[in-house]
Amino acid sequence: MNKIIVLLLLTLFSNSALSENQKEADKPNFLLIVADDLGYSDLGSFGGEIQTPHLDALANKGVKFTNFYSAPTCSPARAMMLSGMDNHLVGLGTQKYYWAEEQKGRPGYEGYLNNRFVTVATRLKDAGYHTYMVGKWHLGYDESSYPSSRGFEESFALVEGGASHLDQRGVIPKAAKANYIKDGKPVDLPEDFFSSAFYTDTLINNIESHRKDGKPFFAYAAYTAPHWPLQAPKAFLDKYQGVYDQGYGEIAQQRLTRMQEMAIVDENAVVQSTPDFYPKWNKLTPSQQAREARLMEVYAAMVDALDYNIGRLIEYLKKTKQFENTVIVFVSDNGAEGADPMDITTPAQPNAQWIPENFDNSFANIGKANSFVSVGPGWAGVSSTPSRLFKGFTAEGGIKVPAFIFSPKLARQSHLSHEFVSVKDIAPTFLELAGIPLDIASHNERPVLPMTGKSMLSYLMVQEDTLHGADFSEAWELFGRRAVRSGDWKMIWLNDPWGNNRWQLYNLANDPAESKDVFSQFPEVVAKLSKIWEQYVAQNEMVVVDKVDIQYTNGTSHYQHKMSSDGGLPN
């Protein structure tokens, strides 16, 4: 059945009948667009007030996923996208510098992409595709793990997990200069650099330089917006003045109402408040409220600018008549960012200062090249509406992300999908669309592990009504925080003060906010999920720490203890 679907779809993507020796030009192009720390409700098509018309048009015409799941943070998510496998197998069982003692030296915990698998870029390149990558890499810090060594023919990449968006200032941690590489070699940025615009220009140039040779392309557009530091050109900054003066609760409620009208969330969903140790809008002074509102204005400007530049990329594809033959996937790598960099420490860097020197975070300078601010947990909670918590957690707000897939040739069009989908499903979908076998036992005489994600092709072509089925199971773990799910049941383990250092059970069908722990009421469900969890740990060769020593604190000390003497929130 699947072979028939593939043949039918590839015929649709060509101008002539599919022959035994299919021409490379008949194969679809693939564009994977990744936003960095974008919240579930930020896009207009997902209920947000931010102006994102280009992404909204694609989302509303394609298949918009309301239950698309990624990983709690960026590196594990990106590893899963490029591998079609769980992050614990491919080297990102934890991020670099975040090792617990028990994890050091263990396979799967290298902190970079290991050699136990083959990236989707390599598989597509082997099959005759051009492969391009721009933006954030964050999957390896030496030449053997750069994009140029993992299947990308041309690449322009930020090596670290974040940097200034307007110059080459480094920020992780206290780096004087961010490390950028072009095709694996160090390179400096131009003086007029703005991340979202530069990455778009670079990718357009990559595609255009080979367009006339007839070969298809796979383009990985890994934008760094809206990851901190919050910075954007003035034209975008001015658009959102005053929009967020109403505060966290009012904006969240407006988003939720629109989400309900769009049927993205259930009509019984409610706005979730952040934990009590985070600030409440009505407890802030007027100057604190003004500063918080300005932070979100800059964040919105970054998302707006991201959409604008993605629009330029789409317009290029249309102008060059490549749009109709391109499969576009858009996804955020994880939930919204609620941490302040001042609070992030690791065992390897217990006294790290993640703030560049000579920065100016005065109110008037927020959003400019030498400012270094983040939105914090108040606005991250709004971005996660209506889910609980945000990036860094296995709660819904940390792992459920906005996502859609678009192609004029797919059978499902203008479809709102409530199917469970995993970020691991992207790579096998691309391979099957390209007519490439999903699993191989070896590559260049090196044994490799099979993909564990599932191709979406049959679902997208309306050959199947479901992707993973009602009884699917999935699990997540990072920094000791964990979750396991089967159908509507989800069991989650969070450390204090966000959890209680033990498993808790929720039914997402009637409690999507994970607010009513029913662990003691359903022992049979607990037993089932516990068995699934044990299998997940064994299959992925995991080392799970019971005590979370890694302090990814998500803003607790900053917002609870560090109110500045002048009444403004410190940064």
Side-chain angles (χ1 to χ4, degrees), residues 373-530:
V373 292
S374 61
V375 291
W379 290 118
V382 174
S383 291
S384 297
T385 301
S387 296
R388 179 168 69 120
L389 294 174
F390 21 76
K391 176 182 177 180
F393 294 98
T394 49
E396 292 291 278
I399 57 178
K400 188 161 74 168
V401 298
F404 62 80
I405 184 168
F406 172 83
S407 168
K409 304 297 179 65
L410 295 176
R412 290 192 191 272
Q413 297 285 320
S414 300
H415 181 72
L416 184 66
S417 174
H418 300 297
E419 285 293 300
F420 174 89
V421 187
S422 168
V423 71
K424 294 181 293 185
D425 300 331
I426 296 174
T429 301
F430 285 174
L431 292 184
E432 191 167 16
L433 277 164
I436 301 171
L438 300 189
D439 294 325
I440 54 176
S442 63
H443 184 264
N444 292 338
E445 301 183 351
R446 169 172 56 88
V448 294
L449 297 172
M451 288 186 173
T452 54
K454 181 179 179 181
S455 170
M456 295 181 267
L457 181 56
S458 295
Y459 177 75
L460 296 171
M461 293 306 293
V462 200
Q463 298 294 327
E464 295 181 3
D465 294 330
T466 183
L467 178 58
H468 291 282
D471 296 326
F472 72 89
S473 62
E474 187 62 272
W476 301 262
E477 186 275 336
L478 190 66
F479 308 149
R481 297 163 181 165
R482 61 207 82 157
V484 57
R485 179 174 171 179
S486 179
D488 291 328
W489 290 103
K490 181 181 177 184
M491 206 158 65
I492 184 171
W493 190 104
L494 295 178
N495 58 308
D496 180 72
W498 304 276
N500 54 12
N501 300 304
R502 68 166 179 81
W503 286 107
Q504 295 175 296
L505 178 68
Y506 303 98
N507 188 316
L508 297 178
N510 53 42
D511 183 23
E514 302 168 309
S515 62
K516 303 169 186 173
D517 179 15
V518 293
F519 185 93
S520 62
Q521 300 174 36
F522 295 92
E524 71 284 0
V525 176
V526 170
K528 176 183 178 180
L529 290 174
S530 296

Side-chain angles (χ1 to χ4, degrees), residues 334-348:
N334 42 247
E337 173 66 278
D340 189 286
M342 289 177 64
D343 288 321
I344 302 174
T345 64
T346 74

Side-chain angles (χ1 to χ4, degrees), residues 104-132:
K104 292 180 179 178
R106 295 291 296 265
Y109 292 89
E110 293 88 348
Y112 56 84
L113 294 181
N114 61 31
N115 288 315
R116 305 169 80 190
F117 75 104
V118 183
T119 68
V120 64
T122 297
R123 297 294 312 279
L124 289 169
K125 184 179 180 183
D126 289 348
Y129 273 72
H130 287 301
T131 53
Y132 312 120

Side-chain angles (χ1 to χ4, degrees), residues 94 97-105 347 543 545 547 549-550:
T94 191
Y97 301 124
Y98 288 83
W99 295 283
E101 280 299 321
E102 303 94 320
Q103 296 168 340
K104 292 180 179 178
V543 181
V545 293
K547 181 182 178 183
D549 294 321
I550 296 165

Side-chain angles (χ1 to χ4, degrees), residues 102-347:
E102 303 94 320
Q103 296 168 340
K104 292 180 179 178
R106 295 291 296 265
Y109 292 89
E110 293 88 348
Y112 56 84
L113 294 181
N114 61 31
N115 288 315
R116 305 169 80 190
F117 75 104
V118 183
T119 68
V120 64
T122 297
R123 297 294 312 279
L124 289 169
K125 184 179 180 183
D126 289 348
Y129 273 72
H130 287 301
T131 53
Y132 312 120
M133 182 270 164
V134 295
K136 176 172 169 175
W137 183 239
H138 206 201
L139 293 170
Y141 298 84
D142 58 45
E143 192 170 344
S144 65
S145 55
Y146 284 166
S148 54
S149 299
R150 304 312 300 251
F152 288 101
E153 175 185 353
E154 295 189 50
S155 58
F156 192 103
L158 169 65
V159 177
E160 293 91 4
S164 169
H165 295 274
L166 295 169
D167 56 29
Q168 200 161 346
R169 221 172 304 227
V171 300
I172 300 182
K174 199 179 180 181
K177 185 178 181 180
N179 292 300
Y180 286 88
I181 49 174
K182 177 176 170 53
D183 302 330
K185 304 300 181 183
V187 65
D188 290 334
L189 298 178
E191 291 186 4
D192 60 347
F193 177 79
F194 172 54
S195 62
S196 294
F198 184 85
Y199 297 148
T200 301
D201 290 340
T202 301
L203 191 56
I204 289 174
N205 290 336
N206 289 156
I207 298 172
E208 180 63 19
S209 66
H210 298 289
R211 177 169 59 89
K212 294 183 180 179
D213 68 10
K215 295 175 67 173
F217 67 79
F218 165 51
Y220 174 37
Y223 289 95
T224 51
H227 190 290
W228 50 255
L230 305 181
Q231 299 166 340
K234 187 177 186 300
F236 294 96
L237 289 174
D238 292 344
K239 293 177 66 173
Y240 293 91
Q241 287 186 8
V243 172
Y244 299 101
D245 292 352
Q246 302 165 79
Y248 315 134
E250 288 296 321
I251 297 296
Q253 184 58 59
Q254 292 168 18
R255 288 189 177 195
L256 180 62
T257 298
R258 288 190 291 268
M259 297 170 86
Q260 291 169 328
E261 292 171 349
M262 296 174 181
I264 292 174
V265 299
D266 187 83
E267 61 182 11
N268 296 318
V270 296
V271 170
Q272 299 305 307
S273 61
T274 52
D276 289 340
F277 47 79
Y278 290 134
K280 308 304 177 191
W281 188 261
N282 60 3
K283 299 295 184 182
L284 300 178
T285 67
S287 64
Q288 291 170 344
Q289 290 179 350
R291 188 176 183 86
E292 285 287 282
R294 184 56 175 164
L295 295 176
M296 191 60 184
E297 290 172 10
V298 181
Y299 178 90
M302 293 181 73
V303 177
D304 190 316
L306 173 65
D307 177 81
Y308 170 81
N309 283 286
I310 291 173
R312 292 198 302 116
L313 176 58
I314 299 304
E315 182 59 30
Y316 160 76
L317 294 176
K318 290 179 177 179
K319 183 178 179 180
T320 55
K321 299 183 175 7
Q322 298 178 87
F323 180 74
E324 293 289 321
N325 195 44
T326 301
V327 178
I328 302 170
V329 172
F330 174 88
V331 64
S332 179
D333 58 353
N334 42 247
E337 173 66 278
D340 189 286
M342 289 177 64
D343 288 321
I344 302 174
T345 64
T346 74

